């Protein structure tokens, strides 16, 4: 994980910090500890404990090791790196954890009458594709085009109980989706997410998340606001998982 060869034992606060770090890798080496604590809604003491779990004496060493790790990763050819990562992802879909998660989602969908796709930004396009792909396989599915105009309270409790929301998000931190899910969770509906990381907020709000764990890519368009980034991470893994779920559902 990151610059470690193994995965440290992390608690809820550590996962909160890890989620922000993995979503802003290029920014962390330049981010003050107090800013990171504020962004993750934790404290500087929590940040220091997190760093020690990664074998670092403090936040300064963590930033140095992370920066060196990122530099080593960038040495690889970008194209070759993508091919390697996609190959690793495809291989990982044969792992028990992924196949079990896919099968669990399929079993959930078979108990529901409709699938509602949800996403924002590029993930909204993937959500649209998912709804069309499912519909082509005769699986009742729709995409919620604008969550802000379709609040959860417009659906009856009976409808929500018969529906399954499939949420598409790379970062798992899209504010409007998080707010929408906050209302949905009050009902007896089911939420499935396909997010890059299990540590993200949306993944933790869902009943089940299927992660794909690829390196996130963003570009900074505004130099005056270095924290504002545009997502350019590949959606190939998300597409593959959507199709795999639909095909497994359609087998029987």
């Amino acid at each position: 994980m990151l610059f470690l060869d193994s995965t440290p034992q992390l608690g809820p606060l550590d996962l909160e910090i890890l989620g922000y770090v993995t979503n802003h890798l290029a920014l962390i080496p330049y981010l003050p500890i107090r800013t990171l604590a504020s962004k993750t809604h934790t404290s500087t003491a929590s940040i220091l404990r997190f760093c020690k779990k990664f074998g670092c004496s403090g936040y300064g060493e963590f930033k140095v090791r992370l920066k060196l790790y990122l530099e080593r990763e960038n040495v690889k050819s970008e194209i070759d790196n993508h091919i390697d990562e996609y190959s690793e992802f495809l291989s990982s879909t044969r792992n028990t954890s992924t196949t079990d998660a896919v099968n669990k989602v399929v079993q959930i969908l078979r108990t529901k009458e409709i699938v509602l796709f949800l996403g924002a930004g590029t993930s909204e396009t993937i959500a649209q594709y998912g709804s069309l792909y499912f519909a082509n396989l005769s699986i009742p599915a729709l995409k919620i085009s604008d969550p802000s105009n379709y609040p959860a309270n417009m659906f009856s409790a009976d409808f929500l109980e018969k529906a399954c929301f499939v949420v598409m998000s790379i970062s798992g931190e899209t504010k409007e989706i998080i707010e929408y899910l906050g209302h949905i969770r009050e009902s007896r509906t089911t939420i499935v997410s396909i997010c890059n990381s299990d540590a993200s907020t949306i993944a933790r709000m869902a009943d089940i998340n299927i992660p794909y764990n690829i390196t996130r890519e963003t570009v900074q368009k505004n130099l005056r606001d270095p924290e504002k980034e545009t997502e350019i991470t590949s959606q190939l893994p998300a597409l593959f998982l959507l199709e795999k779920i639909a095909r497994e559902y359609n087998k029987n």
Side-chain angles (χ1 to χ4, degrees), residues 1 17 31 43 70 92-93 100 109 118 144 183 232 239:
M1 181 175 287
I17 298 167
L31 206 65
S43 64
L70 293 176
S92 73
T93 61
D100 284 352
L109 296 182
L118 194 59
I144 297 179
H183 295 295
I232 59 169
L239 286 171

Side-chain angles (χ1 to χ4, degrees), residues 183-199:
H183 295 295
I184 290 174
R185 289 180 75 193
E186 297 174 4
S187 68
R188 296 177 64 184
T189 197
T190 304
I191 301 170
V192 171
S193 65
I194 299 179
C195 299
N196 190 41
S197 170
D198 273 331

Side-chain angles (χ1 to χ4, degrees), residues 69-138:
Y69 164 76
L70 293 176
E71 288 174 354
R72 287 196 304 271
E73 288 298 304
N74 288 334
V75 168
K76 296 180 180 180
S77 165
E78 186 174 344
I79 295 177
D80 288 344
N81 192 35
H82 284 171
I83 293 173
D84 290 343
E85 196 160 39
Y86 297 150
S87 296
E88 288 177 13
F89 162 73
L90 290 172
S91 296
S92 73
T93 61
R94 298 191 181 97
N95 294 343
T96 303
S97 58
T98 302
T99 54
D100 284 352
V102 168
N103 289 334
K104 185 175 180 180
V105 170
V106 169
Q107 292 306 314
I108 290 172
L109 296 182
R110 284 178 175 155
T111 67
K112 303 297 181 178
E113 294 185 3
I114 190 168
V115 183
L116 298 176
F117 284 88
L118 194 59
T122 58
S123 292
E124 183 178 5
T125 304
I126 305 305
Q128 177 67 52
Y129 174 82
S131 66
L132 292 172
Y133 193 87
F134 274 49
N136 286 341
L137 291 174
S138 301

